[in-house]
PDB file of all heavy atoms in Angstrom:
ATOM      1  N   THR A  76      92.834  88.089 124.840  1.00 66.00           N
ATOM      2  CA  THR A  76      93.840  87.794 125.867  1.00 66.00           C
ATOM      3  C   THR A  76      94.365  86.325 125.827  1.00 66.00           C
ATOM      4  O   THR A  76      95.291  85.939 126.400  1.00 66.00           O
ATOM      5  CB  THR A  76      93.426  88.149 127.214  1.00 66.00           C
ATOM      6  OG1 THR A  76      92.151  87.501 127.503  1.00 66.00           O
ATOM      7  CG2 THR A  76      93.006  89.619 127.295  1.00 66.00           C
ATOM      8  N   VAL A  77      93.505  85.455 125.246  1.00 74.00           N
ATOM      9  CA  VAL A  77      93.768  84.050 125.243  1.00 74.00           C
ATOM     10  C   VAL A  77      94.639  83.722 124.004  1.00 74.00           C
ATOM     11  O   VAL A  77      94.247  84.155 122.891  1.00 74.00           O
ATOM     12  CB  VAL A  77      92.557  83.271 125.232  1.00 74.00           C
ATOM     13  CG1 VAL A  77      92.909  81.697 125.178  1.00 74.00           C
ATOM     14  CG2 VAL A  77      91.715  83.415 126.509  1.00 74.00           C
ATOM     15  N   LEU A  78      95.848  83.169 124.166  1.00 86.00           N
ATOM     16  CA  LEU A  78      96.681  82.904 122.998  1.00 86.00           C
ATOM     17  C   LEU A  78      96.565  81.413 122.547  1.00 86.00           C
ATOM     18  O   LEU A  78      96.936  80.576 123.410  1.00 86.00           O
ATOM     19  CB  LEU A  78      98.188  83.317 123.439  1.00 86.00           C
ATOM     20  CG  LEU A  78      98.432  84.653 123.929  1.00 86.00           C
ATOM     21  CD1 LEU A  78      99.818  84.806 124.301  1.00 86.00           C
ATOM     22  CD2 LEU A  78      97.950  85.637 122.904  1.00 86.00           C
ATOM     23  N   SER A  79      96.170  81.207 121.337  1.00 88.00           N
ATOM     24  CA  SER A  79      96.254  79.812 120.822  1.00 88.00           C
ATOM     25  C   SER A  79      97.641  79.377 120.649  1.00 88.00           C
ATOM     26  O   SER A  79      98.562  80.178 120.521  1.00 88.00           O
ATOM     27  CB  SER A  79      95.363  79.857 119.472  1.00 88.00           C
ATOM     28  OG  SER A  79      96.041  80.491 118.529  1.00 88.00           O
ATOM     29  N   ALA A  80      97.844  78.128 120.368  1.00 91.00           N
ATOM     30  CA  ALA A  80      99.291  77.610 120.033  1.00 91.00           C
ATOM     31  C   ALA A  80      99.879  78.280 118.844  1.00 91.00           C
ATOM     32  O   ALA A  80     101.048  78.615 118.734  1.00 91.00           O
ATOM     33  CB  ALA A  80      99.119  76.051 119.984  1.00 91.00           C
ATOM     34  N   ASP A  81      99.012  78.321 117.799  1.00 93.00           N
ATOM     35  CA  ASP A  81      99.448  78.953 116.389  1.00 93.00           C
ATOM     36  C   ASP A  81      99.779  80.440 116.763  1.00 93.00           C
ATOM     37  O   ASP A  81     100.812  80.903 116.237  1.00 93.00           O
ATOM     38  CB  ASP A  81      98.385  78.868 115.485  1.00 93.00           C
ATOM     39  CG  ASP A  81      98.793  79.411 114.068  1.00 93.00           C
ATOM     40  OD1 ASP A  81      99.793  78.887 113.650  1.00 93.00           O
ATOM     41  OD2 ASP A  81      98.191  80.259 113.632  1.00 93.00           O
ATOM     42  N   ASP A  82      98.925  81.139 117.549  1.00 93.00           N
ATOM     43  CA  ASP A  82      99.180  82.524 117.799  1.00 93.00           C
ATOM     44  C   ASP A  82     100.407  82.758 118.649  1.00 93.00           C
ATOM     45  O   ASP A  82     101.250  83.636 118.367  1.00 93.00           O
ATOM     46  CB  ASP A  82      98.049  83.092 118.694  1.00 93.00           C
ATOM     47  CG  ASP A  82      97.859  84.666 118.580  1.00 93.00           C
ATOM     48  OD1 ASP A  82      98.378  85.217 117.590  1.00 93.00           O
ATOM     49  OD2 ASP A  82      97.252  85.136 119.414  1.00 93.00           O
ATOM     50  N   ARG A  83     100.708  81.881 119.566  1.00 93.00           N
ATOM     51  CA  ARG A  83     101.916  81.955 120.397  1.00 93.00           C
ATOM     52  C   ARG A  83     103.059  81.798 119.703  1.00 93.00           C
ATOM     53  O   ARG A  83     104.144  82.386 119.856  1.00 93.00           O
ATOM     54  CB  ARG A  83     101.695  80.926 121.501  1.00 93.00           C
ATOM     55  CG  ARG A  83     102.760  81.219 122.718  1.00 93.00           C
ATOM     56  CD  ARG A  83     102.618  80.144 123.768  1.00 93.00           C
ATOM     57  NE  ARG A  83     103.671  80.466 124.711  1.00 93.00           N
ATOM     58  CZ  ARG A  83     103.628  81.215 125.747  1.00 93.00           C
ATOM     59  NH1 ARG A  83     102.502  81.895 125.986  1.00 93.00           N
ATOM     60  NH2 ARG A  83     104.678  81.470 126.600  1.00 93.00           N
ATOM     61  N   GLU A  84     103.037  80.774 118.720  1.00 94.00           N
ATOM     62  CA  GLU A  84     104.273  80.469 117.869  1.00 94.00           C
ATOM     63  C   GLU A  84     104.653  81.799 117.000  1.00 94.00           C
ATOM     64  O   GLU A  84     105.752  82.106 116.869  1.00 94.00           O
ATOM     65  CB  GLU A  84     103.950  79.345 116.916  1.00 94.00           C
ATOM     66  CG  GLU A  84     105.084  78.999 116.048  1.00 94.00           C
ATOM     67  CD  GLU A  84     104.760  77.915 115.069  1.00 94.00           C
ATOM     68  OE1 GLU A  84     103.707  77.341 115.109  1.00 94.00           O
ATOM     69  OE2 GLU A  84     105.623  77.555 114.203  1.00 94.00           O
ATOM     70  N   TYR A  85     103.574  82.462 116.461  1.00 96.00           N
ATOM     71  CA  TYR A  85     103.824  83.722 115.798  1.00 96.00           C
ATOM     72  C   TYR A  85     104.368  84.789 116.593  1.00 96.00           C
ATOM     73  O   TYR A  85     105.245  85.488 116.303  1.00 96.00           O
ATOM     74  CB  TYR A  85     102.473  84.045 115.013  1.00 96.00           C
ATOM     75  CG  TYR A  85     102.253  85.550 114.997  1.00 96.00           C
ATOM     76  CD1 TYR A  85     102.850  86.365 114.098  1.00 96.00           C
ATOM     77  CD2 TYR A  85     101.127  86.088 115.859  1.00 96.00           C
ATOM     78  CE1 TYR A  85     102.635  87.753 114.071  1.00 96.00           C
ATOM     79  CE2 TYR A  85     100.890  87.457 115.674  1.00 96.00           C
ATOM     80  CZ  TYR A  85     101.619  88.301 114.899  1.00 96.00           C
ATOM     81  OH  TYR A  85     101.132  89.615 114.865  1.00 96.00           O
ATOM     82  N   ILE A  86     103.827  84.845 117.873  1.00 95.00           N
ATOM     83  CA  ILE A  86     104.218  85.921 118.712  1.00 95.00           C
ATOM     84  C   ILE A  86     105.708  85.774 119.214  1.00 95.00           C
ATOM     85  O   ILE A  86     106.483  86.575 119.216  1.00 95.00           O
ATOM     86  CB  ILE A  86     103.282  86.012 119.981  1.00 95.00           C
ATOM     87  CG1 ILE A  86     101.942  86.556 119.506  1.00 95.00           C
ATOM     88  CG2 ILE A  86     103.833  87.026 121.030  1.00 95.00           C
ATOM     89  CD1 ILE A  86     100.836  86.338 120.588  1.00 95.00           C
ATOM     90  N   GLU A  87     106.090  84.430 119.462  1.00 95.00           N
ATOM     91  CA  GLU A  87     107.345  84.208 119.965  1.00 95.00           C
ATOM     92  C   GLU A  87     108.357  84.513 118.823  1.00 95.00           C
ATOM     93  O   GLU A  87     109.442  84.919 119.009  1.00 95.00           O
ATOM     94  CB  GLU A  87     107.500  82.726 120.443  1.00 95.00           C
ATOM     95  CG  GLU A  87     106.656  82.524 121.621  1.00 95.00           C
ATOM     96  CD  GLU A  87     106.909  81.024 122.131  1.00 95.00           C
ATOM     97  OE1 GLU A  87     107.562  80.278 121.333  1.00 95.00           O
ATOM     98  OE2 GLU A  87     106.343  80.656 123.204  1.00 95.00           O
ATOM     99  N   LYS A  88     108.026  84.088 117.548  1.00 94.00           N
ATOM    100  CA  LYS A  88     108.833  84.428 116.413  1.00 94.00           C
ATOM    101  C   LYS A  88     109.136  85.940 116.262  1.00 94.00           C
ATOM    102  O   LYS A  88     110.296  86.374 116.023  1.00 94.00           O
ATOM    103  CB  LYS A  88     108.188  83.925 115.181  1.00 94.00           C
ATOM    104  CG  LYS A  88     108.965  84.109 113.826  1.00 94.00           C
ATOM    105  CD  LYS A  88     108.226  83.560 112.647  1.00 94.00           C
ATOM    106  CE  LYS A  88     109.021  83.846 111.324  1.00 94.00           C
ATOM    107  NZ  LYS A  88     108.271  83.373 110.146  1.00 94.00           N
ATOM    108  N   MET A  89     108.151  86.625 116.378  1.00 95.00           N
ATOM    109  CA  MET A  89     108.131  88.113 116.208  1.00 95.00           C
ATOM    110  C   MET A  89     109.159  88.692 117.423  1.00 95.00           C
ATOM    111  O   MET A  89     109.962  89.721 117.220  1.00 95.00           O
ATOM    112  CB  MET A  89     106.783  88.782 116.239  1.00 95.00           C
ATOM    113  CG  MET A  89     106.103  88.647 114.865  1.00 95.00           C
ATOM    114  SD  MET A  89     107.144  89.239 113.515  1.00 95.00           S
ATOM    115  CE  MET A  89     107.514  90.842 113.944  1.00 95.00           C
ATOM    116  N   LEU A  90     108.846  88.195 118.626  1.00 95.00           N
ATOM    117  CA  LEU A  90     109.694  88.767 119.711  1.00 95.00           C
ATOM    118  C   LEU A  90     111.039  88.362 119.540  1.00 95.00           C
ATOM    119  O   LEU A  90     111.973  89.206 119.891  1.00 95.00           O
ATOM    120  CB  LEU A  90     109.094  88.163 120.968  1.00 95.00           C
ATOM    121  CG  LEU A  90     107.749  88.649 121.480  1.00 95.00           C
ATOM    122  CD1 LEU A  90     107.164  87.847 122.715  1.00 95.00           C
ATOM    123  CD2 LEU A  90     107.777  90.051 121.872  1.00 95.00           C
ATOM    124  N   ARG A  91     111.387  87.220 119.162  1.00 94.00           N
ATOM    125  CA  ARG A  91     112.749  86.881 118.729  1.00 94.00           C
ATOM    126  C   ARG A  91     113.349  87.735 117.686  1.00 94.00           C
ATOM    127  O   ARG A  91     114.608  88.088 117.692  1.00 94.00           O
ATOM    128  CB  ARG A  91     112.948  85.352 118.361  1.00 94.00           C
ATOM    129  CG  ARG A  91     112.646  84.325 119.604  1.00 94.00           C
ATOM    130  CD  ARG A  91     113.000  83.014 119.301  1.00 94.00           C
ATOM    131  NE  ARG A  91     112.610  82.044 120.357  1.00 94.00           N
ATOM    132  CZ  ARG A  91     111.588  81.335 120.351  1.00 94.00           C
ATOM    133  NH1 ARG A  91     110.769  81.428 119.387  1.00 94.00           N
ATOM    134  NH2 ARG A  91     111.340  80.555 121.334  1.00 94.00           N
ATOM    135  N   TYR A  92     112.615  87.997 116.752  1.00 92.00           N
ATOM    136  CA  TYR A  92     113.088  88.899 115.629  1.00 92.00           C
ATOM    137  C   TYR A  92     113.387  90.341 116.156  1.00 92.00           C
ATOM    138  O   TYR A  92     114.452  90.856 115.755  1.00 92.00           O
ATOM    139  CB  TYR A  92     111.912  89.003 114.542  1.00 92.00           C
ATOM    140  CG  TYR A  92     112.154  89.957 113.457  1.00 92.00           C
ATOM    141  CD1 TYR A  92     113.058  89.656 112.511  1.00 92.00           C
ATOM    142  CD2 TYR A  92     111.649  91.167 113.393  1.00 92.00           C
ATOM    143  CE1 TYR A  92     113.393  90.529 111.389  1.00 92.00           C
ATOM    144  CE2 TYR A  92     111.863  92.094 112.439  1.00 92.00           C
ATOM    145  CZ  TYR A  92     112.800  91.761 111.363  1.00 92.00           C
ATOM    146  OH  TYR A  92     113.074  92.628 110.462  1.00 92.00           O
ATOM    147  N   VAL A  93     112.551  90.862 116.945  1.00 93.00           N
ATOM    148  CA  VAL A  93     112.753  92.040 117.463  1.00 93.00           C
ATOM    149  C   VAL A  93     113.989  92.089 118.372  1.00 93.00           C
ATOM    150  O   VAL A  93     115.032  93.046 118.351  1.00 93.00           O
ATOM    151  CB  VAL A  93     111.529  92.546 118.435  1.00 93.00           C
ATOM    152  CG1 VAL A  93     111.948  93.839 119.266  1.00 93.00           C
ATOM    153  CG2 VAL A  93     110.377  92.873 117.472  1.00 93.00           C
ATOM    154  N   ALA A  94     114.158  91.124 119.307  1.00 91.00           N
ATOM    155  CA  ALA A  94     115.324  91.095 120.272  1.00 91.00           C
ATOM    156  C   ALA A  94     116.596  90.847 119.412  1.00 91.00           C
ATOM    157  O   ALA A  94     117.603  91.416 119.680  1.00 91.00           O
ATOM    158  CB  ALA A  94     115.085  89.832 121.107  1.00 91.00           C
ATOM    159  N   ASP A  95     116.590  90.126 118.282  1.00 89.00           N
ATOM    160  CA  ASP A  95     117.779  89.791 117.558  1.00 89.00           C
ATOM    161  C   ASP A  95     118.239  91.105 116.660  1.00 89.00           C
ATOM    162  O   ASP A  95     119.313  91.161 116.318  1.00 89.00           O
ATOM    163  CB  ASP A  95     117.643  88.710 116.611  1.00 89.00           C
ATOM    164  CG  ASP A  95     117.461  87.432 117.340  1.00 89.00           C
ATOM    165  OD1 ASP A  95     117.922  87.330 118.408  1.00 89.00           O
ATOM    166  OD2 ASP A  95     117.057  86.429 116.739  1.00 89.00           O
ATOM    167  N   SER A  96     117.234  92.004 116.580  1.00 86.00           N
ATOM    168  CA  SER A  96     117.544  93.281 115.762  1.00 86.00           C
ATOM    169  C   SER A  96     118.045  94.426 116.536  1.00 86.00           C
ATOM    170  O   SER A  96     118.377  95.426 116.066  1.00 86.00           O
ATOM    171  CB  SER A  96     116.217  93.807 114.998  1.00 86.00           C
ATOM    172  OG  SER A  96     115.634  92.769 114.252  1.00 86.00           O
ATOM    173  N   ILE A  97     118.094  94.296 117.836  1.00 82.00           N
ATOM    174  CA  ILE A  97     118.528  95.258 118.815  1.00 82.00           C
ATOM    175  C   ILE A  97     120.009  95.449 118.575  1.00 82.00           C
ATOM    176  O   ILE A  97     120.900  94.458 118.746  1.00 82.00           O
ATOM    177  CB  ILE A  97     118.227  95.022 120.272  1.00 82.00           C
ATOM    178  CG1 ILE A  97     116.627  94.902 120.342  1.00 82.00           C
ATOM    179  CG2 ILE A  97     118.675  96.154 121.177  1.00 82.00           C
ATOM    180  CD1 ILE A  97     116.223  94.432 121.753  1.00 82.00           C
ATOM    181  N   LYS A  98     120.414  96.732 118.362  1.00 75.00           N
ATOM    182  CA  LYS A  98     121.891  96.950 118.527  1.00 75.00           C
ATOM    183  C   LYS A  98     122.133  97.954 119.772  1.00 75.00           C
ATOM    184  O   LYS A  98     121.103  98.275 120.418  1.00 75.00           O
ATOM    185  CB  LYS A  98     122.307  97.725 117.240  1.00 75.00           C
ATOM    186  CG  LYS A  98     122.208  96.972 116.048  1.00 75.00           C
ATOM    187  CD  LYS A  98     122.631  97.689 114.818  1.00 75.00           C
ATOM    188  CE  LYS A  98     122.463  96.694 113.613  1.00 75.00           C
ATOM    189  NZ  LYS A  98     122.929  97.445 112.244  1.00 75.00           N
ATOM    190  N   THR A  99     123.280  98.471 120.013  1.00 68.00           N
ATOM    191  CA  THR A  99     123.551  99.118 121.325  1.00 68.00           C
ATOM    192  C   THR A  99     122.555 100.445 121.299  1.00 68.00           C
ATOM    193  O   THR A  99     122.535 101.198 120.365  1.00 68.00           O
ATOM    194  CB  THR A  99     125.011  99.614 121.229  1.00 68.00           C
ATOM    195  OG1 THR A  99     125.796  98.493 121.054  1.00 68.00           O
ATOM    196  CG2 THR A  99     125.300 100.385 122.504  1.00 68.00           C
ATOM    197  N   GLU A 100     121.933 100.469 122.424  1.00 69.00           N
ATOM    198  CA  GLU A 100     121.012 101.743 122.701  1.00 69.00           C
ATOM    199  C   GLU A 100     119.925 101.934 121.697  1.00 69.00           C
ATOM    200  O   GLU A 100     119.551 103.027 121.443  1.00 69.00           O
ATOM    201  CB  GLU A 100     121.845 102.997 122.949  1.00 69.00           C
ATOM    202  CG  GLU A 100     122.832 102.887 124.142  1.00 69.00           C
ATOM    203  CD  GLU A 100     123.569 104.202 124.308  1.00 69.00           C
ATOM    204  OE1 GLU A 100     123.504 105.080 123.407  1.00 69.00           O
ATOM    205  OE2 GLU A 100     124.029 104.415 125.467  1.00 69.00           O
ATOM    206  N   GLU A 101     119.456 101.022 121.047  1.00 83.00           N
ATOM    207  CA  GLU A 101     118.448 101.008 120.024  1.00 83.00           C
ATOM    208  C   GLU A 101     117.192 100.565 120.614  1.00 83.00           C
ATOM    209  O   GLU A 101     117.086  99.644 121.412  1.00 83.00           O
ATOM    210  CB  GLU A 101     118.755 100.270 118.705  1.00 83.00           C
ATOM    211  CG  GLU A 101     119.684 101.103 117.816  1.00 83.00           C
ATOM    212  CD  GLU A 101     119.778 100.306 116.380  1.00 83.00           C
ATOM    213  OE1 GLU A 101     119.421  99.177 116.379  1.00 83.00           O
ATOM    214  OE2 GLU A 101     120.225 100.969 115.471  1.00 83.00           O
ATOM    215  N   VAL A 102     116.052 101.071 120.119  1.00 90.00           N
ATOM    216  CA  VAL A 102     114.753 100.679 120.385  1.00 90.00           C
ATOM    217  C   VAL A 102     114.132 100.211 118.976  1.00 90.00           C
ATOM    218  O   VAL A 102     114.100 100.837 118.011  1.00 90.00           O
ATOM    219  CB  VAL A 102     113.896 101.735 120.984  1.00 90.00           C
ATOM    220  CG1 VAL A 102     112.459 101.188 121.185  1.00 90.00           C
ATOM    221  CG2 VAL A 102     114.419 102.181 122.294  1.00 90.00           C
ATOM    222  N   VAL A 103     113.656  98.951 119.084  1.00 93.00           N
ATOM    223  CA  VAL A 103     113.285  98.285 117.845  1.00 93.00           C
ATOM    224  C   VAL A 103     111.749  98.063 117.916  1.00 93.00           C
ATOM    225  O   VAL A 103     111.249  97.700 119.097  1.00 93.00           O
ATOM    226  CB  VAL A 103     113.801  96.911 117.686  1.00 93.00           C
ATOM    227  CG1 VAL A 103     113.297  96.233 116.398  1.00 93.00           C
ATOM    228  CG2 VAL A 103     115.450  97.107 117.412  1.00 93.00           C
TER     229      VAL A 103
END
């Protein structure tokens, strides 16, 4: 449950990737 700085950077990158891949009414 504890996120290191390196881990958080990777998580944020993946969340942005998922968010940017969303199209209308899609689940990514």
Side-chain angles (χ1 to χ4, degrees):
T76 58
V77 179
L78 305 178
S79 65
D81 182 58
D82 200 23
R83 188 178 182 88
E84 181 181 357
Y85 143 72
I86 293 167
E87 291 182 359
K88 179 181 178 181
M89 285 305 307
L90 288 171
R91 290 191 182 97
Y92 174 77
V93 167
D95 292 341
S96 302
I97 300 174
K98 297 179 181 178
T99 305
E100 296 185 348
E101 278 191 343
V102 178
V103 178

